[in-house]
Amino acid sequence: MADSLTTEQQAGQLFMIGVSTSGLDNATRKAIESGAIGSAVLLGESSAGTSQIAAITAELGKLRSAGLPLLVSVDQEGGKVQRLQGKGFSTIPPALRQGALEDGQLRTQARGWGEELVAAGVHYDLAPVADVVPKGKQDSNAPIGKLDRNFGNDVAGVSRSVVEFTQGMQDAGVVTTLKHFPGLGEVTVNTDFGVAKDSDITADDEYLEPFRKGIEAGADSVMISSAIFTQIDPDQEGVFSKKIITGMLRGDLGFDGVVISDDLGAAAAVGDVKPGDRAVRFFAAGGDLLINADPSLMDEMLKATVAWAAKDQAHAARLAESAGRVLALKESAGLLTCS
């Protein structure tokens, strides 16, 4: 199915564009339609409940890029990172409390939260967080620990919760992503607001175990961090690192699903890289699906990606490979059938 698409259509399938939970504006609609964008992420907190979100997702569903349905995602972790609230959505506790549940309870609850997403027309939860935050860094770890987004402070406990959350969402028919590979538990800076560096995690670190367990449990995708991991690849952010994506995740952990980026649109961590270069470097490193929270950058990113693919047959093959993975993800979400 991917091979039947044009290069431009394949490229469009590899982008996930930000859409406000308050509604689809004309600029974003135009970006989706003109670029054949394949996925959307709902941004901003909404307390309007299921009916308003369902109206937005239904509108997105009518756009159909390249004749294919849009995959709609959201950050619905719980606690301070629960984008969809109001009537029809449970108040989800923070991950730190989810991690304290008895065996089996998180899977049951996650299924219920997933069913609420399905009712609102959302197919993809950008969760669970698989990062392990050391106990002594809970308060200093700005992106995860300080917000209670981690399931706990030990590898075994986090691994158990990652597996249960993943399986619960699968039970509801919602696809998931493990994040933020290879781990954001040691950093002090939030990549949304600045450059984060990790000088602790290594290529064979024990903190990779929750990702390994989540992959074994059938996680559909893995999100790559935009932090810099100095002991693995000190010269570039994780999202641009072939060592991390192709070497560690694909090679060492054997993951063959969708590799999704953290936001490469509005995040300050990549602000000094030209938008087109952000896209090309991510795909060249082995990434499949790029989150862009800034619709105004979409055209530049797309053009750079298409031009990159046209330069070399190996680049074109890399693009087609990723398009195939994204379409398989849509199949897992029940959006299409690949024969």
Side-chain angles (χ1 to χ4, degrees):
M1 189 176 285
D3 289 342
S4 71
L5 302 178
T6 66
T7 300
E8 290 78 9
Q9 289 171 336
Q10 287 178 349
Q13 291 299 305
L14 309 191
F15 288 91
M16 176 178 281
I17 196 169
V19 174
S20 173
T21 53
S22 62
L24 180 62
D25 60 61
N26 289 332
T28 307
R29 176 193 294 275
K30 184 178 179 182
I32 293 171
E33 291 179 329
S34 63
I37 304 305
S39 302
V41 55
L42 300 176
L43 298 177
E45 292 187 359
S46 170
S47 58
T50 302
S51 59
Q52 178 169 308
I53 301 303
I56 295 170
T57 58
E59 190 176 2
L60 288 169
K62 292 176 183 177
L63 296 182
R64 295 186 68 83
S65 62
L68 298 168
L70 262 75
L71 181 69
V72 181
S73 71
V74 73
D75 283 297
Q76 195 81 334
E77 300 172 15
K80 295 179 180 177
V81 185
Q82 181 180 345
R83 303 302 179 216
L84 307 182
Q85 303 174 41
K87 187 176 182 180
F89 296 110
S90 301
T91 299
I92 305 175
L96 209 55
R97 281 174 49 198
Q98 295 176 34
L101 294 170
E102 296 292 330
D103 286 356
Q105 290 185 359
L106 180 54
R107 179 171 183 170
T108 299
Q109 293 197 24
R111 175 173 182 162
W113 302 330
E115 290 170 347
E116 293 170 355
L117 292 178
V118 171
V122 177
H123 322 106
Y124 188 7
D125 191 4
L126 301 181
V129 169
D131 307 319
V132 180
V133 180
K135 195 164 188 177
K137 296 184 178 181
Q138 186 73 31
D139 295 330
S140 63
N141 177 244
I144 309 299
K146 199 170 183 179
L147 302 175
D148 291 346
R149 296 173 68 194
N150 54 310
F151 287 117
N153 305 109
D154 66 284
V155 170
V158 172
S159 296
R160 176 182 70 96
S161 297
V162 162
V163 168
E164 286 203 22
F165 190 99
T166 298
Q167 291 174 334
M169 284 287 164
Q170 288 173 339
D171 293 342
V174 175
V175 295
T176 58
T177 193
L178 310 174
K179 60 186 187 185
H180 310 76
F181 190 84
L184 269 181
E186 301 272 9
V187 303
T188 56
V189 176
N190 189 327
T191 53
D192 289 341
F193 310 117
V195 176
K197 290 190 177 183
D198 179 302
S199 57
D200 296 286
I201 289 181
T202 61
D204 59 353
D205 204 287
E206 65 170 339
Y207 283 2
L208 298 176
E209 188 63 15
F211 292 97
R212 183 177 286 107
K213 291 298 185 185
I215 289 168
E216 291 174 357
D220 306 277
S221 65
V222 176
M223 181 182 290
I224 307 298
S225 169
S226 50
I228 297 170
F229 298 88
T230 60
Q231 292 211 57
I232 302 171
D233 192 347
D235 299 323
Q236 56 193 335
E237 294 82 354
V239 282
F240 304 139
S241 172
K242 194 167 187 176
K243 289 181 182 178
I244 289 174
I245 297 175
T246 302
M248 289 175 61
L249 184 55
R250 297 282 190 216
D252 299 344
L253 271 65
F255 181 66
D256 194 38
V258 167
V259 171
I260 185 171
S261 75
D262 206 342
D263 175 45
L264 294 182
V270 294
D272 62 345
V273 181
K274 291 180 181 179
D277 291 341
R278 297 174 204 173
V280 168
R281 289 175 63 186
F282 174 63
F283 298 132
D288 302 306
L289 184 56
L290 185 153
I291 296 178
N292 171 27
D294 184 352
S296 70
L297 304 179
M298 197 70 265
D299 188 57
E300 184 177 348
M301 287 182 166
L302 269 172
K303 286 179 177 176
T305 302
V306 172
W308 174 74
K311 284 181 182 178
D312 189 291
Q313 184 56 41
H315 297 174
R318 173 78 277 287
L319 208 68
E321 177 186 36
S322 286
R325 286 200 186 101
V326 171
L327 294 184
L329 182 66
K330 290 185 176 185
E331 182 182 37
S332 296
L335 291 175
L336 52 82
T337 301
C338 297
S339 57

